[in-house]
Structures are given as structure tokens and as C-alpha cells.
């Protein structure tokens, strides 16, 4: 038990160091499950030809995505702190113009932004996306949609919000979370990954199967 606890503690420390950001304190000491949130109307009707975890580059586009690069690390665990390896993680968000990759989104879409990506977590329950800092659009604070499905069939759809974002308190969905809002709110910090930009860590805690 001691060795398992120490391994997870060291993992979290190296995880925080790697992305150059400070994780919330205490680090989910109460192991509250991440709250579910609506999928929204803009989940892709058809997955793009590219659905890898690098949303900043599209193969047939010469220009990279507009917006500030964001290295989004996701860690998926259960309520006992056990990393959930092999979990499918999907993210989708609007581009720097506030437009989703969806036929009903309207507006001028940034063709250099993939808009959707997915990966499977590694043996420590970790995945790394390259995307952009989320931006606001009409009625919504900046956010990233996140959906996970574990190997044993547990599923969760939620949204990630930005700490100290003034628009959070004007977002009806964010306000509806009440005291659970901090569980889906993350700080952004500068990192010198490629490309340089911002980094954040989003912890997803799932109930036991």
C-alpha cells in the first residue's frame, strides 16, 4: 500500500513538473468524482479524417491553427487514485473564431484547426493533447468538451473551464455546478513545450465500476 501511494505521489509531482503548472491543493484529497456535463450540440456528426491528439495541425493545410497553443494533459483515475490505463479520451472545442467543426455551427471556421481529437491514456492514465486555449462565444465561457470511456465501460462527458476566467460566472452551465465547479476548473501556466504556449492538467476521477 505504501509503495502504491508513493508511486502515485511521485507521478503527480513529475506530472506537475513536466507541464510547468501547479496542481490544485489539496490534489483531490476527497476523491470526488468529476461532475458530468452536457455534450452540447456540436459533437462531430462525422469524425474528421484526422482525429489524432494534435489539433494544431491539419495535414492538407499549410498554416497552423489560429489561437494560443495549449498543451492539455489529462489524467484519468478512479476514486481510489488508481490510474485508468487504456481509457479513450475525446476532446472537441470551437476554434479561435468561436466556431465549431460542425455543419450547424455557422461562421467562418479556421481550416487549420482540427477541432476534435482523441487518444488512449498510457499505463499511468495520462494523455497529452496539443490544442488551443479555449475562447468564448455567445453565451458561453471558454471551455473544452471532454468525453472518456474506460476499458470496463465506464463513461463520462464533462467540460473543462479556465481558472480566473471572468466569464465563468456568467455561464449558466458553469454556475449550475455549484460547489463542484472547482473540479472542472484548471489554471493555465506558460510552458516551453513545442510549440511554446500554455499548459494545464485536467484530472478526471471516475466512480468504481
Amino acid at each position: 500500500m505504501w509503495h502504491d501511494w508513493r508511486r502515485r505521489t511521485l507521478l503527480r509531482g513529475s506530472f506537475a513538473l513536466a507541464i510547468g503548472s501547479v496542481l490544485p491543493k489539496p490534489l483531490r484529497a476527497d476523491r470526488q468524482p468529476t461532475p458530468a456535463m452536457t455534450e452540447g450540440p456540436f459533437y462531430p456528426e462525422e469524425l474528421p479524417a484526422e482525429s489524432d491528439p494534435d489539433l494544431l495541425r491539419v495535414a492538407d493545410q499549410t498554416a497552423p491553427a489560429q489561437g494560443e497553443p495549449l498543451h492539455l494533459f489529462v489524467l484519468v483515475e478512479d476514486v481510489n487514485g488508481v490510474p485508468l490505463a487504456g481509457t479513450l479520451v475525446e476532446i472537441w472545442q470551437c476554434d479561435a473564431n468561436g466556431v465549431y467543426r460542425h455543419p450547424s455551427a455557422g461562421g467562418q471556421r479556421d481550416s487549420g484547426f482540427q477541432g476534435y481529437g482523441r487518444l488512449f491514456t498510457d499505463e499511468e492514465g495520462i494523455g497529452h493533447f496539443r490544442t488551443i486555449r479555449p475562447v468564448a462565444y455567445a453565451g458561453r465561457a471558454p471551455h473544452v468538451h471532454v468525453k472518456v470511456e474506460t476499458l470496463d465501460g465506464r463513461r463520462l462527458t464533462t467540460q473543462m473551464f479556465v481558472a480566473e476566467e471572468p466569464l465563468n460566472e456568467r455561464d449558466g452551465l458553469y454556475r449550475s455546478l455549484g460547489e463542484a465547479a472547482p473540479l472542472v476548473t484548471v489554471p493555465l501556466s506558460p510552458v516551453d513545450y513545442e510549440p511554446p504556449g500554455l499548459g494545464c492538467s485536467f484530472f478526471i476521477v471516475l466512480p468504481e465500476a
Side-chain angles (χ1 to χ4, degrees), residues 27-135:
L27 177 56
R28 292 295 180 86
D30 53 6
R31 309 306 306 168
Q32 285 184 263
T34 301
M37 296 191 70
T38 177
E39 184 176 283
F42 298 124
Y43 182 84
E45 289 189 350
E46 295 183 3
L47 296 187
E50 289 183 70
S51 55
D52 64 339
D54 184 1
L55 282 65
L56 298 178
R57 288 282 184 180
V58 177
D60 61 353
Q61 301 293 319
T62 57
Q66 301 170 29
E68 187 170 13
L70 174 67
H71 294 270
L72 168 55
F73 289 80
V74 178
L75 172 60
V76 187
E77 296 183 334
D78 70 12
V79 289
N80 299 308
V82 177
L84 296 175
T87 296
L88 173 63
V89 183
E90 302 173 86
I91 69 168
W92 64 100
Q93 66 186 101
C94 67
D95 62 22
N97 301 318
V99 180
Y100 280 90
R101 188 186 185 107
H102 192 278
S104 64
Q108 182 62 47
R109 187 172 64 83
D110 174 16
S111 59
F113 181 56
Q114 192 168 289
Y116 168 93
R118 59 182 175 176
L119 54 74
F120 290 95
T121 58
D122 65 15
E123 65 276 8
E124 300 293 357
I126 296 172
H128 173 202
F129 291 95
R130 297 200 324 163
T131 185
I132 62 170
R133 186 196 192 283
V135 302

Side-chain angles (χ1 to χ4, degrees), residues 91-179:
I91 69 168
W92 64 100
Q93 66 186 101
C94 67
D95 62 22
N97 301 318
V99 180
Y100 280 90
R101 188 186 185 107
H102 192 278
S104 64
Q108 182 62 47
R109 187 172 64 83
D110 174 16
S111 59
F113 181 56
Q114 192 168 289
Y116 168 93
R118 59 182 175 176
L119 54 74
F120 290 95
T121 58
D122 65 15
E123 65 276 8
E124 300 293 357
I126 296 172
H128 173 202
F129 291 95
R130 297 200 324 163
T131 185
I132 62 170
R133 186 196 192 283
V135 302
Y137 58 91
R140 293 303 315 274
H143 62 281
V144 177
H145 295 266
V146 183
K147 180 189 289 190
V148 301
E149 181 175 358
T150 64
L151 290 173
D152 59 12
R154 282 174 282 179
R155 297 182 178 89
L156 175 75
T157 301
T158 191
Q159 298 177 26
M160 185 196 85
F161 294 83
V162 177
E164 300 182 359
E165 168 57 58
L167 292 176
N168 286 346
E169 296 307 320
R170 301 180 187 177
D171 188 300
L173 290 176
Y174 184 84
R175 293 199 311 272
S176 71
L177 294 171
E179 294 182 354

